[in-house]
């Protein structure tokens, strides 16, 4: 899939066409490619990252996101294509000539220097004046103003990562690259650092490009997420837009979970497509239909599916599917997760909020499923229905 034709440009314009790189004030990648021997790690990448945005490159291990980041940083030379930043071609500029800084998962702090000197390092090297005011401003920004004389080893992982961030931000780069920066932190700390990073980006207003394989992390922080797969961008957009209206099975499965059911298209009207789903007519909005063929995968997120007793009139007029049998029930506190075997043999996932309004169903019970047509999407039948599934877990 071509990322230019299929994915909207993340640039400030509403059009799908990429911006003119020579006048664009953000970061523009044009037909960027990287080969390692005979292996193409990044394939004709076209990407606009608007100035001041928080942009995430999200994808499974090996999809090419770090290679892309390293090309932007100047640590890897592209095989072909161009990189421009604020209209300037930096494709072959040396790393230190680029207004770009990188924060890695390993904090790479100087162990013999205290926090203050770690942050001051870049300014001192460039013989900048007014070091003290700037260092204190940065340390306050990352909320470490009271720890200035500690050595890195005396700080927690999260605090060390904040020092690394302050050390990069003090150089006021045009673009800050974050390569799995929270990967070494435990889950709870990661979640609080995500909120912290977002706040810091809001405050400094610089462009952040964040590389991660963690979909929740990308969706929590970024304004725009580009989902990468096998060296290509599958889709990009705002997190909610990607989640609600995925254009490929890979995105549908990689961002959250999806039920994908095969169907045959019966009719296409201006705003709605009617699909025969194993003998039942279901509707999908035309703007959520991403296939031109006669067949397609009907997609519905598990939390959008309502479960009820057979014949119960559920609050989801439109797509109602009788004849299910509950095959598994997992009570997980906020919700109950069901597997329901449908008459055509497929098991569908249903996540039901535990609001207390409905009783829980038991294994073996006959049920009816239902969802509002506006929540469904329709994908190309030629795509693998399991693409992107479970890759997050195997990704370390
Ligand atoms: P991860 O999250 O695991 O870092 P990634 O999406 O960042 O994955 P890259 O590190 O960009 O992936 O690697 C993309 C592909 O290019 C992988 O298949 C990797 O093995 C290959 N690759 C990366 N660097 C080199 C290299 N120096 N030589 C040969 N192959 C490489």
């Amino acid at each position: 899939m071509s990322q230019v034709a299929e994915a909207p440009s993340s640039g400030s314009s509403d059009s799908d066409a990429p911006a003119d790189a020579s006048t664009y004030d953000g970061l523009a990648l044009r037909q960027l490619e990287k080969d390692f021997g005979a292996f193409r790690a990044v394939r004709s990448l076209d990407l606009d990252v608007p100035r001041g945005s928080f942009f995430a490159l999200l994808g499974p291990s090996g999809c090419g996101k770090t290679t892309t980041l390293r090309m932007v940083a100047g640590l890897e030379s592209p095989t072909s294509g161009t990189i421009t930043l604020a209209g300037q071609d930096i494709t072959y500029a040396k790393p230190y000539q680029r207004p770009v800084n990188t924060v890695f998962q390993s904090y790479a702090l100087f162990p013999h220097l205290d926090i203050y000197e770690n942050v001051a390092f870049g300014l001192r090297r460039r013989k900048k004046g007014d070091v003290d005011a700037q260092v204190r401003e940065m340390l306050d920004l990352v909320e470490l103003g009271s720890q200035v004389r500690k050595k890195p080893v005396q700080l927690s992982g999260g605090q060390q990562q904040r020092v690394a961030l302050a050390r990069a931000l003090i150089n006021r780069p045009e673009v800050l690259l974050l390569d799995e920066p929270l990967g070494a932190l435990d889950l709870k700390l990661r979640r609080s650092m995500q909120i912290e990073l977002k706040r810091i980006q809001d405050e400094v207003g610089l462009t952040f490009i964040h590389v991660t394989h963690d979909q929740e992390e990308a969706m929590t922080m970024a304004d725009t997420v580009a989902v990468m797969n096998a060296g290509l961008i599958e889709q990009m957009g705002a997190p909610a837009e990607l989640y609600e209206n995925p254009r490929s099975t890979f995105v549908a499965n990689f961002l959250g979970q999806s039920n994908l059911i095969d169907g045959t298209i019966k009719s296409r009207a201006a705003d709605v497509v009617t699909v025969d789903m194993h003998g039942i007519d279901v509707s999908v909005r035309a703007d959520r239909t991403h296939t031109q063929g006669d067949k397609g995968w009907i997609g519905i997120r598990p939390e959008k599916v309502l479960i009820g007793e057979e014949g119960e009139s559920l609050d989801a007029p439109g797509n109602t599917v009788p004849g299910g049998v509950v095959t598994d029930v997992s009570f997980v506190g906020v919700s109950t997760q069901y597997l329901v075997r449908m008459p055509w043999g497929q098991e569908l996932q249903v996540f039901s909020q535990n609001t207390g309004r409905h009783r829980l169903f038991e294994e073996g019970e006959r049920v009816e499923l239902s969802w509002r047509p506006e929540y469904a999407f329709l994908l190309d039948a030629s795509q693998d229905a399991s693409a992107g599934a479970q890759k997050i877990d195997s990704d370390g």
Side-chain angles (χ1 to χ4, degrees), residues 36 39 41 60-68 76 180 211 213 395:
F36 293 110
F39 177 72
S61 184
C63 72
K65 51 195 190 301
T66 300
T67 303
T68 304
E76 204 76 74
E180 301 268 6
V211 156
H213 65 265
D395 205 17

